[in-house]
Amino acid sequence: MEELIAKRYIKALSSADIASIQNTADLFSVLSESFNDEKFINIIESPDVSQDDKLEILLGAVSSAKSSQVDNLIKLLVENKRINIIPAIAQELKKEVASSTKTYKGTVYSDSEIDAKTLQELGEGLSKKYGSTISLEFVKNDFNGIKMDVEDLGIEINFSKTRINSQIIEHIVKAI
């Protein structure tokens, strides 16, 4: 639900150039990290703290950007009591920037180690196929095979050792 609301606020920002949107995305990413701090959340959600004080705190956090557009967005969020969607706005801005620049990040999951050269080759292959720049990072887990996921493009490629083994056995049985 928050993503849908965040998209409406982002539409107002999307008229700006890519560099401006990138700066805004970086700013909101840093601001959204504040929502991991329990004290910050208590202040923002407290009914004892006035809207003006909340506005002052948030404007102080984004003052380094010196952007009237960002200031106005913060004012609008405080006015409409939508401060809690700042992390969703940050996430949607990242997606907007990735879509505009055609630069995406993906993750490769496997139970065995994959070296950086192989990750780079996989990323280059996907980049050619989808006409974009895809960088991959490796996450070791207990998945028995290899799973590649580029969420923003909706790509999920999965090679399971057990599934391949069962298909080979099934093929041999059919041949007999």
Side-chain angles (χ1 to χ4, degrees):
M1 181 69 174
E2 287 182 347
E3 291 83 17
L4 296 173
I5 297 168
K7 285 180 182 179
R8 294 183 128 188
Y9 285 98
I10 291 172
K11 280 185 182 179
L13 296 173
S14 62
S15 63
D17 61 290
I18 294 298
S20 176
I21 294 174
Q22 176 66 51
N23 291 338
T24 305
D26 293 341
L27 188 66
F28 271 84
S29 291
V30 170
L31 194 56
S32 71
E33 289 174 11
S34 300
F35 283 83
N36 295 331
D37 183 13
E38 190 69 32
K39 291 179 184 177
F40 180 80
I41 293 172
N42 289 338
I43 292 170
I44 294 299
E45 292 180 351
S46 174
D48 297 333
V49 179
S50 72
Q51 294 290 82
D52 292 334
D53 291 340
K54 293 175 186 178
L55 178 63
E56 188 177 318
I57 291 169
L58 292 171
L59 286 177
V62 299
S63 64
S64 63
K66 296 180 177 126
S67 170
S68 62
Q69 198 172 28
V70 172
D71 291 349
N72 290 337
L73 179 59
I74 295 293
K75 289 176 186 175
L76 191 61
L77 290 171
V78 171
E79 181 181 313
N80 292 330
K81 296 182 172 109
R82 299 280 171 110
I83 298 172
N84 59 335
I85 68 165
I86 288 176
I89 290 174
Q91 189 67 29
E92 292 299 320
L93 279 170
K94 283 181 187 176
K95 288 180 182 178
E96 181 75 26
V97 169
S99 176
S100 298
T101 60
K102 293 189 174 193
T103 304
Y104 302 97
K105 291 184 179 180
T107 309
V108 176
Y109 303 96
S110 180
D111 60 348
S112 57
E113 290 293 326
I114 298 176
D115 63 358
K117 182 181 177 195
T118 305
L119 286 175
Q120 184 178 359
E121 290 172 357
L122 288 171
E124 289 171 359
L126 281 174
S127 295
K128 287 179 187 174
K129 172 114 174 113
Y130 290 97
S132 57
T133 304
I134 299 173
S135 61
L136 297 173
E137 68 176 25
F138 175 71
V139 174
K140 186 171 180 136
N141 66 3
D142 59 352
F143 183 71
N144 191 17
I146 296 174
K147 178 180 173 185
M148 216 176 332
D149 186 24
V150 183
E151 188 175 322
D152 292 340
L153 279 177
I155 300 171
E156 184 176 318
I157 302 170
N158 181 342
F159 296 103
S160 171
K161 291 178 187 176
T162 55
R163 192 176 97 219
I164 291 172
N165 286 339
S166 68
Q167 288 176 342
I168 289 172
I169 292 169
E170 183 180 311
H171 182 71
I172 291 170
V173 169
K174 283 183 182 178
I176 298 176

